[in-house]
Amino acid sequence: MQTLADLELHSLPMADPAFSADPWPEFAKARAAHPWLATCDFGFVIHQYDAMRDLLWLDHSLTGAYHDVVEIMEAEGTPWGRFQHESLLARTGDAHKRIRSVLAPAFTPQQAARHRPLMRKVIAGLLDEWVPKGEFDFEDFASFFPITVMCSLIGAPTAAIGSLRSSMEAFGLSMSMDKKFLPRLNEATLVLDAFAREIVAERRKARLAPGEDMLEILVTTLDEGKLSERELYDLLIFLFVAGYDTSKNALTLLMNVLIDRPDLYRRCAEDPALCRKVTEENFRYLTTSTIPRIVTKDIAYRDVAIPAGTLLFFPVSISGRDPAIANADAFDPERDQAKKRHITFGMGVHICLGQFIARAQIEEGLHQIAQRIRNPRRIGTSQWRPFYGVWGLKGLPIAFDQAEALEPAE
Ligand code: HEM
């Protein structure tokens, strides 16, 4: 059995902006040094698909390293630090099960399918507003889609979106491991907390039919004593932020790919089934998240002893690009579905609850975007977001030809 100290591992400079812009040569060096393990600024990185999959299942020996991230950020006693300690992702065992089971019925594939007409309506409304501009930053445009859908599903007023967006944007930097963002993170937590309190207070004055929207489900659960008031506000904050930058960045990354694949993009306007395949291939090809975990019990994996207390990072954003996957670097929506291996939505007890909503949103969004935004072309440069946490493009300025929808939105 080897110890971590015995291994000669490549060090991935994941906090470096140059790494965010082009991590591939560094991951190739990491693979050349060791098949599945590397180091980084704060711990170790699991970079191989099989190893990510095997280790993320070990919920009894690994847990979300969200408490450790608070320590690294020196955020103890701050509003954001408190939220990270108590959020759904940081919870374990029965406390996690109890809260997850409140949400789970609202996040099934059937529920996601039920929300498709709402998603179509939201994207159609946004396109009506944005397409006449003729050119815009696609990332800005894309950001309004998941917030509007989420506010509608929760039952929160969409009028507040303008003022909430910058807080959600700030919250997207939660796992960036960069202390300079702490003041913005704290401010964003306070804004979202105040908003959560406000919508709960409003709902108390005018209740809806049982189960009519997520807020009604959550307030009922609170009344039944199955959720504390603090847990309710934290869940609302979490729901607003969990699907925001992940979905926005995934859609922006997809547009960035499709700008260079005009034939494929054009066909997405006509073919919803192709939009499904393109969306899934996008989740394999390039997505957003790096998951932090702390080892809670000594483990041994493939002859390497990993002691309790080791901080592990799982860049699931690149899990689908493992060289073991045939032709991994080609964007091919027609590839065999059974071989589309990726862990974009995590694995184990914290696997993304919103994954069916995320898939449906991007499929519906892409189909209408491809109809109304014809021949998109870049008119400026993009930057990259920090690789730690939620990665993706920062800005995607485009110009395009305006067109009418091929079919009326329901
Ligand atoms: C492209 C879009 C998305 C991606 C890539 C994504 C990714 C992830 C990942 C990797 C995790 C696991 C984190 C961990 O294990 O520490 C997660 C958890 C979660 N996501 Fe998503 N997500 C997306 C969209 C959404 C949406 C739209 C929602 C809600 C509407 C959502 C709600 C959640 C929730 C509630 C959890 C926590 C589950 C738990 O702790 O039990 N996500 N997501």
Side-chain angles (χ1 to χ4, degrees):
M1 183 75 64
Q2 294 176 298
T3 67
L4 291 172
D6 295 333
L7 303 174
E8 284 198 17
L9 301 174
H10 180 63
S11 176
L12 290 167
M14 291 193 350
D16 184 345
F19 180 90
S20 293
D22 184 14
W24 308 110
E26 288 295 329
F27 278 116
K29 285 185 209 161
R31 284 185 197 111
H34 192 275
W36 54 274
L37 197 56
T39 61
C40 65
D41 322 70
F42 305 100
F44 292 83
V45 183
I46 312 295
H47 56 72
Q48 185 201 45
Y49 171 86
D50 284 343
M52 287 192 213
R53 185 203 53 204
D54 294 346
L55 290 168
L56 277 172
W57 272 118
L58 303 181
D59 288 307
H60 50 283
S61 306
L62 303 183
T63 184
Y66 299 98
H67 306 295
D68 307 79
V69 172
V70 172
E71 202 177 301
I72 291 169
M73 295 285 280
E74 297 175 10
E76 289 298 348
T78 67
W80 175 83
R82 185 211 59 76
F83 176 81
Q84 289 304 326
H85 281 309
E86 295 172 23
S87 92
L88 184 60
L89 283 174
R91 299 213 173 208
T92 55
D94 287 347
H96 172 255
K97 247 188 240 159
R98 175 174 56 84
I99 298 187
R100 187 165 166 120
S101 66
V102 173
L103 293 180
F107 284 92
T108 59
Q110 292 76 8
Q111 288 297 325
R114 202 168 65 86
H115 299 313
R116 279 180 186 263
L118 166 76
M119 294 168 188
R120 285 181 205 131
K121 198 168 144 217
V122 168
I123 193 72
L126 288 172
L127 285 163
D128 285 347
E129 185 187 332
W130 285 68
V131 166
K133 297 177 199 273
E135 57 180 58
F136 53 69
D137 183 341
F138 186 83
E139 188 207 351
D140 268 352
F141 160 76
S143 70
F144 285 91
F145 184 32
I147 321 181
T148 313
V149 169
M150 208 58 224
C151 279
S152 307
L153 294 184
I154 288 177
T158 46
I161 288 173
S163 56
L164 291 180
R165 204 170 66 106
S166 64
S167 299
M168 293 191 193
E169 197 59 37
F171 228 95
L173 297 163
S174 282
M175 293 299 130
S176 63
M177 315 296 281
D178 191 337
K179 282 183 266 191
K180 76 167 181 284
F181 295 126
L182 187 57
R184 282 173 65 194
L185 290 169
N186 282 325
E187 202 186 310
T189 310
L190 294 175
V191 170
L192 293 170
D193 188 43
F195 182 65
R197 286 169 190 273
E198 197 182 305
I199 60 174
V200 171
E202 285 303 314
R203 181 54 60 91
R204 287 209 173 288
K205 289 186 216 152
R207 298 295 296 265
L208 302 183
E212 189 153 326
D213 59 22
M214 252 177 237
L215 189 53
E216 201 53 45
I217 295 173
L218 292 173
V219 175
T220 305
T221 314
L222 171 76
D223 292 343
E224 290 167 354
K226 295 183 194 150
L227 208 57
S228 74
E229 201 142 323
R230 184 63 269 165
E231 286 171 339
L232 168 62
Y233 301 141
D234 284 347
L235 259 188
L236 286 169
I237 297 174
F238 189 75
L239 286 177
F240 282 122
V241 297
Y244 169 68
D245 51 346
T246 46
S247 306
K248 173 199 60 154
N249 294 2
L251 188 54
T252 307
L253 287 168
L254 176 55
M255 185 57 143
N256 193 43
V257 168
L258 291 177
I259 287 174
D260 299 323
R261 299 285 300 272
D263 286 344
L264 182 58
Y265 180 72
R266 240 188 320 272
R267 284 166 49 218
C268 288
E270 281 134 33
D271 187 351
L274 178 63
C275 292
R276 259 198 297 285
K277 291 183 193 169
V278 167
T279 299
E280 202 53 33
E281 176 66 348
N282 189 50
F283 286 139
R284 180 202 69 80
Y285 184 71
L286 197 59
T287 51
T288 59
S289 309
T290 290
I291 300 177
R293 288 281 184 273
I294 184 92
V295 178
T296 51
K297 279 187 215 147
D298 296 353
I299 48 177
Y301 181 68
R302 295 195 209 163
D303 265 352
V304 178
I306 308 179
T310 308
L311 199 46
L312 299 177
F313 290 88
F314 294 80
V316 295
S317 50
I318 57 119
S319 59
R321 291 288 272 278
D322 196 288
I325 297 165
N327 224 356
D329 292 337
F331 187 91
D332 176 11
E334 299 299 343
R335 79 175 55 236
D336 183 348
Q337 291 292 325
K339 293 188 184 146
K340 263 194 211 305
R341 309 192 314 166
H342 66 77
I343 317 174
T344 291
F345 294 105
M347 199 159 256
V349 294
H350 291 282
I351 192 168
C352 179
L353 261 179
Q355 60 175 295
F356 303 108
I357 289 183
R359 286 185 160 98
Q361 254 181 179
I362 295 187
E363 290 165 19
E364 295 297 341
L366 172 61
H367 186 45
Q368 288 192 48
I369 289 166
Q371 292 175 31
R372 309 277 310 269
I373 296 180
R374 294 278 174 168
N375 305 316
R377 47 225 177 245
R378 292 183 191 86
I379 53 166
T381 49
S382 300
Q383 306 293 314
W384 286 84
R385 293 171 177 278
F387 187 83
Y388 282 111
V390 183
W391 187 42
L393 283 178
K394 192 163 172 47
L396 179 60
I398 59 164
F400 52 87
D401 303 331
Q402 303 174 30
E404 293 300 318
L406 296 177
E407 67 232 14
E410 290 157 40

